[in-house]
Amino acid sequence: MYKIFFKLVFSRTDPERAHHLAFRWIRLAARVPVLRTFVAAALAPRHKELRTEALGLRMHGPFGLAAGFDKNAVAIDGMAMLGFDHVEIGTVTGEPQPGNPGKRLFRLVGDRALINRMGFNNDGSLAVAARLASRTPAFRTVVGVNIGKTKVVPEKEAVDDYVKSAERLAPHADYLVVNVSSPNTPGLRNLQATEALRPLLSAVREAADRAVTARRVPLLVKIAPDLADEDVDAVADLAVELGLDGIIATNTTIAREELGLTSPPALVQETGGLSGAPLKARSLEVLRRLYARVGDRITLVGVGGVGSAEDAWQRILAGATLVQGYSAFIYEGPFYARGLHKGLAARLRQSPYATLADAVGADVRKTV
């Protein structure tokens, strides 16, 4: 049904407008107690065998919504209602900003992909923190907060900008993510270099500890798929050195030619980060490399081209304790998480592993 609706309505609607329309429907449904209970019963059935512990947190399962969909923490209950086991909001910047001018979101339908150059459009850390503080959850779900650099802040002042967001948002976050890998903020990816990343992550860790003294807020970093292999290794080593809690692999890519895209060339060459199915192979490759480097010392989150239960299962076998999706949700619709959970539970039952935790990294361990 959704695929017909997508073809007849959403595919003919401007992508950003369609996003806001769907977003509005989700939020409205989540505000009606009886309706949200009915929707959750249909779309978010629980599978006991998928229960997951990661980052010191207990979750209904390993599958969550990646950052970018709910930038301002306004639909957490709505996304939990649709079956996501955790919801990562953001990216949130120190100051509010409108993002890049439109048109800035493009569908590559034949490739099951998106290109975006949104530019971290969000309400800013102060407003988002206030929204999180006043929230009364309708569903129990883990909330991650993804933070990035304000566009107008010079690169040399980036640490202070991240620290400001961390101090404001850490008290309301189940975990915190430092995003240094979006291609849509000038100079941001330069912060992935270890000489820049070390002081940034150290400062954010200290800021989170100052802001929250009753518990330790887990801290992760999100990296790009376009990093050279030696740079992936360097980030992995740094994460272990600093006692980081996790790495999210990966963000969107600026690559095009090597992805085998079939969409019209004019569309393919739009600037911005590409996400979705074409990113699957490289994202999985980076994940495997990270796990071979860090093993079970930190938590790995696999994201990028996760369109099915098989994709999620492959990420787990490659070392991901948690898996996230976003672009496939646009194409699969409201039954996306339900289908993925059902298929993942079936694969676990058919596997030689007693639990999901046993399966994490199993394929990589066979080769090392």
Side-chain angles (χ1 to χ4, degrees):
M1 179 68 73
Y2 175 80
K3 291 182 179 180
I4 295 174
F5 181 81
F6 178 87
K7 184 177 181 180
L8 295 178
V9 180
F10 276 172
S11 65
R12 301 179 184 183
T13 306
D14 173 79
E16 191 169 353
R17 184 172 180 273
H19 172 86
H20 289 304
L21 182 62
F23 207 58
R24 190 176 302 117
W25 291 342
I26 293 168
R27 292 172 63 189
L28 287 173
R31 289 174 183 168
V32 182
V34 174
L35 180 58
R36 71 182 177 225
T37 301
F38 174 80
V39 173
L43 301 183
R46 304 304 182 189
H47 299 265
K48 291 183 179 180
E49 61 267 50
L50 297 183
R51 289 176 181 169
T52 300
E53 290 193 18
L55 305 171
L57 304 165
R58 293 182 178 180
M59 307 183 198
H60 293 297
F63 186 57
L65 180 70
F69 192 87
D70 186 3
K71 296 176 181 292
N72 293 306
V74 295
I76 295 170
D77 282 328
M79 305 319 295
M81 176 186 71
L82 295 182
F84 290 98
D85 302 312
H86 66 274
V87 177
E88 189 171 310
I89 66 155
T91 296
V92 183
T93 54
E95 300 298 329
Q97 57 185 30
N100 294 322
K103 190 175 182 181
R104 54 190 185 178
L105 182 62
F106 307 87
R107 296 191 204 93
L108 283 66
V109 178
D111 293 302
R112 307 279 289 180
L114 300 172
I115 292 175
N116 93 82
R117 50 173 180 262
M118 304 299 290
F120 289 169
N121 55 308
N122 74 104
D123 294 340
S125 57
L126 193 62
V128 173
R131 190 170 293 129
L132 288 169
S134 64
R135 176 173 172 259
T136 302
F139 298 100
R140 185 179 70 83
T141 191
V142 166
V143 178
V145 179
N146 184 301
I147 60 174
K149 186 181 81 68
T150 306
K151 184 176 182 179
V152 298
V153 170
E155 193 175 325
K156 63 182 179 180
E157 298 174 18
V159 171
D160 290 340
D161 192 53
Y162 278 93
V163 164
K164 176 167 57 179
S165 293
E167 288 177 338
R168 291 171 173 174
L169 292 163
H172 315 294
D174 290 314
Y175 68 86
L176 200 61
V177 182
V178 170
N179 184 352
V180 289
S181 49
S182 169
N184 299 317
T185 296
L188 186 73
R189 286 192 169 192
N190 296 338
L191 298 175
Q192 291 179 113
T194 53
E195 60 270 19
L197 193 56
R198 179 180 282 103
L200 171 59
L201 293 174
S202 297
V204 171
R205 176 72 273 166
E206 292 171 4
D209 290 342
R210 283 195 306 271
V212 186
T213 58
R215 62 185 174 96
R216 185 180 188 278
V217 180
L219 180 63
L220 300 84
V221 64
K222 188 169 186 175
I223 64 173
D226 307 313
L227 284 177
D229 287 346
E230 56 269 26
D231 293 325
V232 173
D233 293 344
V235 171
D237 293 344
L238 179 63
V240 173
E241 173 194 330
L242 296 179
L244 216 63
D245 297 277
I247 300 174
I248 300 180
T250 60
N251 211 320
T252 59
T253 181
I254 58 173
R256 294 292 188 272
E257 293 182 4
E258 57 268 44
L259 298 179
L261 301 172
T262 60
S263 296
L267 187 57
V268 168
Q269 294 307 316
E270 290 286 353
T271 58
L274 184 143
S275 61
L279 188 55
K280 185 186 307 184
R282 177 56 182 167
S283 181
L284 184 59
E285 182 182 6
V286 170
L287 180 63
R288 292 178 64 90
R289 189 173 191 92
L290 285 170
Y291 187 79
R293 197 82 174 183
V294 305
D296 297 324
R297 289 178 289 178
I298 62 176
T299 298
L300 299 179
V301 183
V303 58
V306 179
S308 66
E310 180 61 24
D311 294 334
W313 182 239
Q314 291 304 317
R315 301 307 166 96
I316 291 167
L317 294 177
T321 300
L322 299 176
V323 181
Q324 294 179 341
Y326 174 1
S327 298
F329 177 50
I330 307 302
Y331 294 107
E332 295 295 328
F335 285 89
Y336 174 43
R338 175 191 169 98
L340 192 143
H341 281 112
K342 182 179 179 180
L344 197 56
R347 281 161 177 77
L348 178 61
R349 288 193 297 269
Q350 295 162 7
S351 78
Y353 311 110
T355 66
L356 274 184
D358 293 337
V360 172
D363 278 0
V364 179
R365 291 195 297 271
K366 293 175 184 176
T367 63
V368 296

